[in-house]
Amino acid sequence: MKRFFQPVKEDGSFKKPSLSSADPLLSTVGDLVSVAGIHTVEAGERERREPCKFLTWNANSLLLRMKKDLPEFSNLVQTLDPDAIAIQEVRMPAAGPKGGQKNPSELKDDTCSSREEKQVIMRVLSSPPFQNYRVWWSLSDSKYAGTALLIKNHCKPKKVSFSLDGKASKHEPDGRVILAEFESFFLLNTYVPNNGWKDDENSFQRRRKWDKRMLEFVVQLDKPLIWCGDLNVSHQDIDVSHPDFFSNAKLNGYIPPNKEDCGQPGFTLSERRRFSNILSQGKLIDAYRFIHKEQDMERGFSWSGNPVGKYRGKRMRIDYFIVSEKLKDKIISCDKHGHGIELEGFCGSDHCPVSLELSQLT
């Protein structure tokens, strides 16, 4: 969320792509090949076990975090040792010339500045504690939105795709989806569009369409789902620090004609009701709330407003792990790793990392 709200085939062939002809280091990072937008995993390298430890984090610019806050996040990853790391708001542009066709699966590196930025990212990912992960990207055309998914080499998925239908060759607009299929479950990383403040195609209408597609996606799955990321919704009153403040929030005094659309993006009645319907129809549960029944004013929120101004101390829980009801007895823990209005543990972002641990699924 903005700070101010404003499959894999068994016979898939494999070779290492050259990520950058200018930097030999980059060609050593990642051993994926993109086939029509779907990444396949070599049958001979099938994972020996499935992921059971997960971490999700809206980085609010992965490049900035790696430049300014890398030690804190690296220490967290080293401590938690997750099998999969889902990142939102990567904010790195997709490869491709200006005005030309883009490749959302690759980082841009056709200018001096973009090449330097890519080198920063790839050097970090080739060093501890990230060197044993494989990374998938879904990127926007510009430094906006975008997602990344890091999965340990011994936890290889059957298939990785980049749209809610799981079959399309194209990426979702702005790189908002990465879907990994394993033998016993799907892992979905999403950066859900912000609802905005007005009933136009880039705000309410865009979010309604997204929620409709999410509902269609979850009801047709043939195996359990682990859905994580910045979902840009606070489901219940206990998921925000100041319900009245968020319910009555306005932008420049504007009041939507439909009362259910009034309030802070992410806390309108319409968004919350659609989210409830997705959970209900998809037979899904909120892993954090399944474990933590009561409101926690210190550690119960994942987004915090600007420490200066009217949003100081105003916090929301908008980053989630949503899991199929079939997995609820597998939940060991689901925790937030940041706290307080000074954003301690947020690793430089305005969102804190959230972790999930399940007992072994297979």
Side-chain angles (χ1 to χ4, degrees):
M1 179 175 284
K2 296 178 182 177
R3 179 175 290 274
F4 297 107
F5 289 102
Q6 301 246 336
V8 183
K9 303 300 181 184
E10 291 286 341
D11 58 350
S13 60
F14 244 73
K15 63 180 180 178
K16 291 185 178 182
S18 175
L19 297 181
S20 172
S21 58
D23 190 340
L25 170 65
L26 301 188
S27 65
T28 68
V29 180
D31 52 353
L32 300 177
V33 62
S34 178
V35 181
I38 296 176
H39 286 171
T40 60
V41 177
E42 185 176 345
E45 294 184 2
R46 273 306 169 86
E47 68 137 315
R48 292 182 292 277
R49 67 175 180 83
E50 298 200 322
C52 58
K53 297 168 68 176
F54 308 86
L55 186 67
T56 184
W57 182 43
N58 179 320
N60 192 19
S61 176
L62 187 59
L63 180 66
L64 284 180
R65 303 291 78 81
M66 288 185 170
K67 285 183 173 181
K68 300 172 61 177
D69 307 283
L70 181 59
E72 186 177 10
F73 186 61
S74 294
N75 289 338
L76 180 66
V77 170
Q78 191 165 17
T79 299
L80 297 178
D81 193 27
D83 298 316
I85 304 172
I87 299 176
Q88 305 86 44
E89 279 205 88
V90 171
R91 293 192 183 180
M92 293 290 290
K98 184 176 181 179
Q101 186 173 0
K102 308 295 184 181
N103 180 1
S105 294
E106 297 287 348
L107 298 169
K108 182 178 178 65
D109 66 353
D110 59 350
T111 65
C112 289
S113 59
S114 65
R115 194 152 42 244
E116 291 174 358
E117 291 173 348
K118 179 176 180 177
Q119 288 170 356
V120 170
I121 297 288
M122 290 307 191
R123 285 196 172 100
V124 169
L125 295 180
S126 64
S127 304
F130 305 102
Q131 81 279 18
N132 293 322
Y133 292 86
R134 178 175 292 179
V135 60
W136 286 263
W137 305 99
S138 187
L139 305 169
S140 177
D141 291 352
S142 62
K143 288 187 175 182
Y144 172 72
T147 52
L149 183 63
L150 286 71
I151 299 176
K152 279 189 175 179
N153 291 326
H154 63 261
C155 294
K156 293 182 175 66
K158 292 177 62 182
K159 178 172 74 174
V160 177
S161 50
F162 306 95
S163 68
L164 289 177
D165 62 28
K167 298 178 181 179
S169 60
K170 66 180 181 180
H171 290 237
E172 291 287 341
D174 301 323
R176 293 184 179 274
V177 168
I178 303 180
L179 176 65
E181 180 181 359
F182 297 88
E183 286 293 338
S184 58
F185 67 90
F186 289 99
L187 174 62
L188 176 65
N189 174 21
T190 63
Y191 176 40
V192 174
N194 188 287
N195 191 57
W197 296 91
K198 295 186 176 182
D199 194 359
D200 58 37
E201 62 181 1
N202 292 318
S203 298
F204 295 171
Q205 295 173 28
R206 178 178 68 163
R207 182 57 180 270
R208 291 188 197 113
K209 291 176 181 177
W210 172 276
D211 289 343
K212 181 176 183 293
R213 292 186 63 213
M214 274 303 311
L215 177 60
E216 293 169 350
F217 170 78
V218 300
V219 299
Q220 56 81 40
L221 293 176
D222 58 1
K223 62 178 69 174
L225 174 68
I226 300 172
W227 173 23
C228 67
D230 178 354
L231 307 193
N232 259 324
V233 63
S234 293
H235 190 203
Q236 302 171 333
D237 282 2
I238 62 172
D239 295 320
V240 298
S241 60
H242 297 76
D244 289 342
F245 173 87
F246 289 118
S247 294
N248 297 311
K250 303 180 183 67
L251 180 66
N252 299 326
Y254 174 75
I255 301 176
N258 185 343
K259 184 177 179 180
E260 291 194 350
D261 290 324
C262 294
Q264 187 72 48
F267 197 62
T268 65
L269 286 176
S270 58
E271 291 172 274
R272 295 162 64 189
R273 287 176 177 171
R274 292 196 301 267
F275 188 59
S276 291
N277 192 42
I278 292 171
L279 298 186
S280 174
Q281 295 296 316
K283 294 180 172 56
L284 302 167
I285 64 168
D286 176 350
Y288 178 84
R289 193 56 69 204
F290 180 74
I291 297 292
H292 307 274
K293 308 294 186 185
E294 305 298 328
Q295 186 177 51
D296 183 343
M297 290 299 292
E298 180 66 14
R299 294 181 175 273
F301 310 106
S302 63
W303 176 91
S304 185
N306 195 318
V308 178
K310 69 177 182 178
Y311 276 97
R312 177 175 174 79
K314 308 303 191 298
R315 293 162 290 166
M316 307 177 75
R317 188 172 75 92
I318 57 177
D319 302 86
Y320 290 78
F321 277 100
I322 302 296
V323 305
S324 295
E325 291 178 354
K326 294 179 180 178
L327 300 180
K328 67 180 181 180
D329 293 333
K330 298 285 188 178
I331 300 174
I332 296 175
S333 65
C334 186
D335 296 303
K336 306 205 178 323
H337 298 276
H339 62 93
I341 63 176
E342 304 299 337
L343 287 69
E344 295 180 52
F346 280 58
C347 303
S349 178
D350 52 351
H351 295 246
C352 74
V354 183
S355 65
L356 171 72
E357 183 174 0
L358 305 178
S359 57
Q360 195 64 47
L361 298 178
T362 57

